[in-house]
């Protein structure tokens, strides 16, 4: 058996996201905007899909995001460390500018899609293999009527999508997944390659606000503040 649909959902915003810091496997909670994003996106997922199984990374920002969906769907939440974010070693907690100042050559390699050497970062191939195996294992226990939601992280999801589509780990065809947005995949049928099909990437509640990363729009001025001509 294989799940009929798999959603790979990124967690909501954190303070590190807002300040442009590389999080990796540092356990950073959602900020206020991130909680709003997770709550809003969970409602959209429930309106568009029928989740039957929810699996989360063991990092708290992913679990907190997943809990909004689990409560709304009335489903238990499973935690799997295998779908946590890529480790960035010594770079975790730093901004791009700070990394570039201390490791300019390694940073250039990373920006080009390669694997920096000597900083303790997990390789793209290792992350892709780890996430791909975990998603397949969870999906294999389900049937065609099931929708699996895996709550993970930006870099991890992009690498997982590439792996499921049969791409080399260096492939960068899908990047830039926003907070609390998701990828939508389903298994292929018959002897065709790749084993999975991508139906959408960076999907989310597009009408939730004018600026998703700024949180909900401020309410319009109340009519009661308008002068009464009488």
């Amino acid at each position: 058996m294989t799940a009929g649909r798999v959603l790979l959902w990124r967690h909501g915003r954190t303070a590190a996201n807002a300040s442009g810091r590389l999080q990796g496997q540092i356990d950073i909670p959602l900020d206020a905007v991130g909680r709003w994003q997770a709550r809003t996106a969970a409602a959209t997922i429930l309106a568009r899909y029928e989740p039957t199984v929810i699996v989360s990374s063991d990092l708290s920002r992913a679990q907190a995001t997943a809990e909004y969906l689990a409560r709304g769907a009335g489903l238990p939440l499973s935690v799997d460390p295998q779908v946590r974010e890529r480790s960035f070693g010594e770079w975790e907690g730093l901004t791009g500018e700070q990394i570039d100042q201390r490791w300019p050559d390694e940073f250039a390699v990373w920006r080009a899609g390669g694997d920096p050497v000597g900083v303790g970062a997990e390789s793209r191939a290792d992350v892709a293999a780890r996430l791909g195996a975990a998603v397949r294992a969870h999906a294999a226990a389900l049937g065609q009527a099931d929708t699996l939601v895996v709550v993970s992280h930006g870099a991890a999801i992009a690498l997982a999508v590439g792996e499921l589509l049969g791409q080399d780990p260096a492939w960068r065809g899908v990047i830039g997944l926003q907070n609390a947005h998701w990828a939508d995949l389903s298994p292929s049928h018959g002897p065709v390659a790749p084993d999975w099909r991508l139906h959408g990437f960076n999907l989310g509640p597009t009408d939730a606000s004018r600026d998703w990363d700024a949180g909900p729009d401020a309410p319009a001025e109340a009519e009661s503040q308008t002068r009464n001509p009488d």
Side-chain angles (χ1 to χ4, degrees):
M1 294 188 297
T2 300
R5 185 179 299 273
V6 174
L7 304 182
L8 303 180
W9 186 25
R10 188 188 179 194
H11 61 81
R13 197 185 81 168
T14 68
N17 291 145
S19 60
R21 294 184 180 275
L22 197 61
Q23 291 177 109
Q25 296 184 357
I26 298 176
D27 199 6
I28 300 175
L30 300 179
D31 64 11
V33 170
R35 291 190 294 273
W36 169 81
Q37 289 176 337
R39 183 172 63 249
T40 303
T44 301
I45 290 173
L46 290 172
R48 297 181 187 175
Y49 309 95
E50 296 183 6
T52 49
V53 174
I54 304 171
V55 177
S56 172
S57 157
D58 60 339
L59 298 178
S60 63
R61 58 189 182 271
Q63 288 192 59
T65 299
E67 284 167 0
Y68 284 104
L69 184 63
R71 286 197 296 269
L75 294 171
L77 175 61
S78 298
V79 175
D80 184 356
Q82 293 303 305
V83 300
R84 63 162 49 184
E85 180 60 297
R86 180 184 184 185
S87 170
F88 292 103
E90 296 179 62
W91 291 359
E92 293 186 355
L94 302 179
T95 65
E97 182 179 1
Q98 290 170 328
I99 297 169
D100 193 23
Q101 288 174 350
R102 296 174 59 182
W103 297 275
D105 294 338
E106 293 84 353
F107 190 57
V109 170
W110 180 67
R111 295 277 291 177
D115 289 320
V117 177
V119 300
E122 193 176 7
S123 73
R124 294 175 62 88
D126 285 349
V127 180
R130 169 165 62 83
L131 267 291
V135 171
R136 286 189 174 92
H138 288 293
L142 305 176
Q144 286 296 309
D146 290 310
T147 294
L148 168 66
V149 181
V150 177
V151 187
S152 186
H153 309 263
I157 290 174
L159 287 163
V161 169
E163 204 277 339
L164 293 171
L165 297 181
Q167 299 296 319
D168 186 272
W171 183 66
R172 302 188 74 193
V174 290
I175 57 174
L177 188 65
Q178 291 179 278
N179 286 113
H181 282 53
W182 60 89
D184 181 344
L185 302 103
S186 67
S188 301
H189 299 289
V192 296
D195 295 335
W196 292 80
R197 294 286 185 264
L198 178 65
H199 301 289
F201 187 83
N202 205 32
L203 303 174
T206 57
D207 58 351
S209 71
R210 287 186 295 272
D211 185 352
W212 178 248
D213 288 324
D217 295 332
E221 185 177 1
E223 292 184 10
S224 60
Q225 295 177 351
T226 303
R227 183 184 296 276
N228 188 332
D230 295 331

